[in-house]
Amino acid sequence: MKKLPMALSDFSTLSQISYEIAKKLIKMYPNARMGEAMELEENFPIRWLMESSNHKFEWVVSEMGSMTLRLAGDFPGKKNPPPIFYLSLGKYEGERFLWETPEGSPIENLEGQIRQLVEEKINLFLRSETESD
């Protein structure tokens, strides 16, 4: 499967795919303030807070095809905390767009794997927190 460069004509597709994944993520990881009742607007970036294991996390889905989960809160000296979970869209032969890991590996069946992938990263973060205490 050959990876292709993005073109200006791909931006509306990236936006559409990003909006669709945000709708799925909010159902899997409801907004800590509003639950699943959160109305998603098509204004990007789409952001919401979730809670897991007594930690608050923030989801950020961008119009350009990325989803990020990071620790929520203020971090002195840093604009944004580092991501705990991150995927971005890549373009492939046959006009296919696939979510990719930070290393550039495409994920063929994201919907079947996303909960497991996110939970693995959250657990890795939680383990690193307890090891550093």
Side-chain angles (χ1 to χ4, degrees):
M1 173 171 41
K2 182 178 178 186
K3 187 168 180 178
L4 303 173
M6 295 282 184
L8 285 174
S9 59
D10 296 324
F11 290 161
S12 64
T13 302
L14 294 176
S15 178
Q16 179 185 356
I17 294 170
S18 295
Y19 183 73
E20 291 303 316
I21 198 65
K23 288 192 315 189
K24 291 173 183 164
L25 287 170
I26 195 73
K27 286 183 179 177
M28 285 188 262
Y29 301 99
N31 187 314
R33 293 185 185 139
M34 299 180 211
E36 288 185 44
M38 179 179 167
E39 291 290 325
L40 285 184
E41 297 180 17
E42 291 192 44
N43 297 330
F44 287 95
I46 299 171
R47 300 170 185 263
W48 71 96
L49 297 177
M50 65 165 266
E51 291 184 35
S52 179
S53 301
N54 297 322
H55 285 78
K56 285 194 178 181
F57 298 94
E58 180 184 34
W59 278 105
V60 180
V61 178
S62 82
E63 186 172 20
M64 301 305 291
S66 72
M67 65 173 98
T68 306
L69 179 67
R70 60 189 182 197
L71 199 58
D74 293 326
F75 299 90
K78 291 186 176 183
K79 183 177 178 186
N80 295 314
I84 292 168
F85 176 80
Y86 176 83
L87 295 178
S88 61
L89 283 168
K91 182 179 177 180
Y92 292 85
E93 303 178 289
E95 295 298 310
R96 291 180 64 201
F97 291 86
L98 296 174
W99 291 98
E100 299 175 329
T101 66
E103 296 78 30
S105 300
I107 301 171
E108 286 282 346
N109 176 19
L110 179 66
E111 288 191 37
Q113 299 178 56
I114 188 138
R115 186 174 298 275
Q116 176 188 347
L117 294 169
V118 171
E119 296 303 319
E120 285 174 4
K121 294 297 184 177
I122 289 173
N123 289 332
L124 181 63
F125 165 77
L126 294 172
R127 280 194 310 273
S128 73
E129 284 288 291
T130 57
E131 291 170 4
S132 65
D133 289 343

